[in-house]
Amino acid sequence: ALNAVLGDLTPGIRVLVLGGALVVLVATKNLVSFAGATMAGNRRSRAMMELRQQLVRRVLRAPPALLERHTSGEITSILVTEASRVSRALDLSVSLVHRGIIAISYMVALLFLSWQLTAVTAVLGVCLGIASQALGRRALRFPSGRFRGIKRPPLCPTRRTA
């Protein structure tokens, strides 16, 4: 495929053209990544403000019995925790989409260079994915060394006001 695009260029010129193309591609990727991160941050900030406003509106419209059952600390904790969870979920989903697009772009570029290299990369990626999933499960199953032997305190009942 490269021979059809580059034609009858000398090997030295080919290397320069491919190197220049790689520099342009990496610079474009970095610019798009920066723009995407900036836009995602702005969108996340707006989403968090809207979420917090909705939560506050719901708390203000809540029946008095609900507000008497829970302390102000519990209500504030829910406001902060839920907003934080949504923010983290947005970050993770944007990161997943971003990294997926980069991976697909690299695979297309590799396919353009060599289908054999693409096949080897795809197999290696699947093997690394399986290995990291297995290691992740194993790490979650066994506690870290610094917590071994430490007995956990009994669970305290949550404080409820009548």
Side-chain angles (χ1 to χ4, degrees):
L2 279 177
N3 286 334
V5 173
L6 296 177
D8 295 329
L9 297 177
T10 64
I13 299 296
R14 263 185 199 201
V15 169
L16 286 176
V17 168
L18 288 175
L22 285 175
V23 168
V24 168
L25 285 174
V26 169
T28 303
K29 178 201 68 97
N30 289 339
L31 282 173
V32 169
S33 178
F34 175 76
T38 303
M39 287 189 290
N42 291 340
R43 186 162 301 259
R44 185 184 64 220
S45 295
R46 279 188 255 133
M48 289 297 94
M49 288 299 294
E50 179 63 29
L51 175 66
R52 287 185 181 124
Q53 288 173 352
Q54 287 178 7
L55 288 171
V56 167
R57 276 188 240 126
R58 286 186 179 179
V59 167
L60 292 176
R61 289 185 197 137
L66 179 72
L67 297 175
E68 290 173 0
R69 269 198 316 254
H70 301 283
T71 65
S72 61
E74 288 175 326
I75 293 171
T76 304
S77 175
I78 288 171
L79 288 172
V80 171
T81 302
E82 293 306 313
S84 174
R85 284 181 183 173
V86 170
S87 176
R88 196 168 59 218
L90 285 173
D91 281 343
L92 291 175
S93 57
V94 166
S95 177
L96 179 67
V97 168
H98 178 251
R99 289 179 181 175
I101 290 171
I102 289 174
I104 290 169
S105 300
Y106 282 157
M107 290 300 287
V108 168
L110 280 175
L111 187 60
F112 181 71
L113 291 173
S114 165
W115 69 267
Q116 295 96 339
L117 185 58
T118 305
V120 168
T121 303
V123 169
L124 184 62
V126 169
C127 292
L128 287 174
I130 292 169
S132 69
Q133 190 174 25
L135 289 174
R137 285 186 186 149
R138 183 179 174 136
L140 290 175
R141 196 174 23 207
F142 297 111
S144 64
R146 62 185 166 149
F147 294 118
R148 283 191 195 138
I150 297 175
K151 293 187 179 185
R152 294 182 182 171
L155 294 175
C156 301
T158 59
R159 190 183 98 158
R160 298 268 177 188
T161 57

